[in-house]
Amino acid sequence: MHYIKFLHLSVLQQTDTMNYKLVWLLYLYGLTFENANAAINRTFPANFKFGVATASYQIEGAWNEDGKSENIWDHICHENPTFVVNQDNGDIACDSYHKYKEDVALLKDIGVDFYRFSISWSRVIPEGVAGSPVNQLGIDYYKNLVQELIDNGIEPMVTMYHWDLPEALQDLGGWLNPEIIDHYAYYAKTLYEELGDSVKHWMTFNEPKQTCMGGYGDGNMAPGYNFTGLEDYQCTHILLKAHAKAYHTYDEEFRAEQQGSIGIVMDTAWFEPASDSDQDKEAAERGLQFMYGWFANPIVNGNYPQVMIDRIDERSAAQGYAVSRLPKFTDEEIEYIKGTHDFVAVNYYSGTYAQWIEEADINDVSYNSDLNILVFPDDDWEDTEPPWFKIVPWGLGKTVNWIRKTYNNPEIFITENGYPDVGGLQDDKRIYFYKEHMSSLLEAILDDGVNVTRYTAWSLMDNFEWGLGYSKKYGMYSVDFEDPDRPRTPKASAAYYNQVITTRCLVDVCE
Ligand code: NOJ
């Protein structure tokens, strides 16, 4: 598709008539009229959709209202307040439970095509376990939200699990107890039954790596366990089966009637080889396979990435384990999980260099030693407010190209991309961040032919940023967390995003 770029450059100075002829040429080559136009004018294609995302614990509040039970984030914030910066918690958060209509009005002002939000399991099924009562008031909240969105012409896109497990299930072992597969399938089925007539895009899990590595490996996320190299792999093994069961349940019992689509959201950084050496290229590929492929490979290609299997099996044996620390799928399980996606989704925030290094100390049992690469930023890459988070927009284009190549050219959704700061309404750096990332994406779509059809900005408004509490802000709307009414105020980025959505064009990039 590089010829499109060439054509684009060559027509920049030409007349409209000339452009019209080129649209015809590209149309004959196989592009639709709309997409041929987009290729010439450097606009987002006609089928491309824009949205914003949030998550239940980060915005809803109402932590114990209307029958909702405690979840693992309520629990850790209440029992171990220093787990979060400033001892913040999500008890009230943005109070979206009570202010959802106002939030839909904000979405409408931005002009988004869709809203990606998550459902709180403990609000819907307070006891968590399969067969336990469904909390009608909890269901009603989401039904009302979905209806409000639809009434305003905004498509609901639902994440079923964004890290807030009912505490009752954590008490049974959480994601380490295989019985959770049935509990999760019951929850998923409840959602399809209650909301599936209106919701046409489902995501089973958000960033499962954070659930398993954050929750059970390095302990940065609830429930805060530190068993890296062991429990993070066990958690993933169970979670992937839960994902597959939820997918098959939809396929077998709901798809024919509801006609929706379902996938999973995985996060990755872009890993750029630190040099042209084969070893550094290998290190970068290994980084992507350990981060994204850990989940994507079983779901798209079947089984864990070979490099994970080989390395973890080998290191486990050398460490004296009777079986590999990376659990094995049976052949039936591989087949059961493979293909359980209608789209491939990615949350992208940043990138890093990756360098090959000597093998880690064999006594070190950890995910990081299993991965065994050195990651570091370029001094020239721009900082965000947290200095460890560098702005690497071109990494997004490279990431979607890598996904296309590695997973057989799937339909790709960007389900999150966003910029943290410490406040301020004139958020020019956030505008710059969005613009550069969307620009990289546009190049991947128009010049490389990558099939990306959605872009989702994180986030609608400032909210509870997990262990960082309210100290880091990602919103296009500022929220005053000191005011009991939690008023929202638009930042400059809200108007910028509205302009992009309305014109389908990035200022300075399209004609
Ligand atoms: C990914 C997560 O899905 C979201 O919950 C979080 O707030 C953003 N990244 C920013 O860290």
Side-chain angles (χ1 to χ4, degrees), residues 162-326:
H162 200 123
W163 308 350
D164 45 358
L165 187 72
E167 181 61 24
L169 292 179
Q170 192 61 51
D171 293 344
L172 298 175
W175 291 105
L176 299 182
N177 179 350
E179 286 173 9
I180 200 169
I181 298 167
D182 287 340
H183 304 323
Y184 182 77
Y186 173 73
Y187 167 56
K189 187 171 173 174
T190 304
L191 297 186
Y192 306 147
E193 278 167 353
E194 298 284 350
L195 299 164
D197 286 342
S198 310
V199 173
K200 299 303 165 196
H201 285 99
W202 296 100
M203 288 148 292
T204 53
F205 290 93
N206 175 69
E207 299 194 359
K209 176 169 161 284
Q210 305 306 331
T211 296
C212 290
M213 213 166 89
Y216 297 86
D218 58 34
N220 290 329
M221 294 281 168
Y225 298 146
N226 292 94
F227 295 101
T228 179
L230 281 165
E231 290 193 350
D232 35 16
Y233 297 139
Q234 288 162 14
C235 165
T236 297
H237 206 66
I238 291 169
L239 185 149
L240 283 167
K241 292 182 197 178
H243 158 82
K245 187 156 184 176
Y247 182 94
H248 287 298
T249 303
Y250 190 75
D251 233 17
E252 287 156 19
E253 300 178 39
F254 297 90
R255 189 190 290 280
E257 199 183 316
Q258 297 185 351
Q259 301 280 315
S261 72
I262 175 163
I264 183 171
V265 169
M266 300 155 292
D267 58 309
T268 194
W270 172 249
F271 292 80
E272 180 71 10
S275 77
D276 273 348
S277 76
D278 287 347
Q279 282 184 324
D280 286 351
K281 287 182 188 157
E282 184 189 322
E285 177 68 16
R286 197 190 300 165
L288 288 161
Q289 292 293 352
F290 265 72
M291 196 163 179
Y292 199 76
W294 186 9
F295 301 90
N297 211 69
I299 289 170
V300 184
N301 296 335
N303 209 354
Y304 294 117
Q306 198 58 47
V307 65
M308 286 191 82
I309 298 174
D310 292 346
R311 286 192 53 82
I312 302 169
D313 286 4
E314 207 175 295
R315 284 184 65 84
S316 302
Q319 288 158 347
Y321 286 86
V323 291
S324 176
R325 288 179 283 105
L326 185 70

Side-chain angles (χ1 to χ4, degrees), residues 379-398:
D379 288 343
D380 290 342
W381 295 347
E382 283 182 70
D383 286 344
T384 62
E385 293 289 348
W388 40 262
F389 180 156
K390 300 285 175 186
I391 304 182
V392 191
W394 47 267
L396 178 56
K398 289 202 176 199

Side-chain angles (χ1 to χ4, degrees), residues 55 58 162-163 206-207 347 349 416 458 463 465-466 474:
Q58 295 181 271
H162 200 123
W163 308 350
N206 175 69
E207 299 194 359
N347 290 354
Y349 283 85
E416 277 182 40
W458 182 273
N463 57 49
E465 179 53 25
W466 309 109
Y474 280 86

Side-chain angles (χ1 to χ4, degrees), residues 329-487:
F329 289 122
T330 64
D331 288 348
E332 288 96 84
E333 286 170 342
I334 290 173
E335 283 311 307
Y336 186 72
I337 297 167
K338 184 176 168 181
T340 53
H341 64 96
D342 300 322
F343 50 83
V344 169
V346 60
N347 290 354
Y348 175 85
Y349 283 85
S350 189
T352 179
Y353 280 133
Q355 191 174 59
W356 191 91
I357 47 175
E358 293 298 328
E359 196 60 34
D361 177 358
I362 199 60
N363 295 314
D364 183 25
V365 174
S366 69
Y367 168 93
N368 281 339
S369 300
D370 291 335
L371 166 58
N372 200 56
I373 61 174
L374 183 68
V375 293
F376 59 95
D378 193 303
D379 288 343
D380 290 342
W381 295 347
E382 283 182 70
D383 286 344
T384 62
E385 293 289 348
W388 40 262
F389 180 156
K390 300 285 175 186
I391 304 182
V392 191
W394 47 267
L396 178 56
K398 289 202 176 199
T399 299
V400 293
N401 266 287
W402 180 83
I403 291 175
R404 174 172 80 144
K405 178 180 84 164
T406 313
Y407 304 110
N408 196 23
N409 195 18
E411 180 175 9
I412 301 172
F413 295 168
I414 307 302
T415 33
E416 277 182 40
N417 176 233
Y419 173 84
D421 61 19
V422 290
L425 297 180
Q426 193 56 45
D427 54 344
D428 294 334
K429 199 102 184 252
R430 177 167 294 107
I431 292 176
Y432 166 79
F433 182 96
Y434 282 140
K435 184 182 146 202
E436 293 302 313
H437 282 80
M438 285 191 274
S439 172
S440 171
L441 198 60
L442 194 58
E443 268 183 47
I445 296 168
L446 298 182
D447 303 339
D448 308 328
V450 182
N451 186 19
V452 185
T453 56
R454 287 178 184 238
Y455 174 83
T456 318
W458 182 273
S459 180
L460 172 62
M461 57 194 153
D462 296 341
N463 57 49
F464 178 82
E465 179 53 25
W466 309 109
L468 297 174
Y470 299 101
S471 68
K472 293 288 173 284
K473 300 172 189 308
Y474 280 86
M476 292 189 196
Y477 282 80
S478 152
V479 177
D480 182 353
F481 293 101
E482 302 299 317
D483 185 326
D485 194 37
R486 299 294 192 270

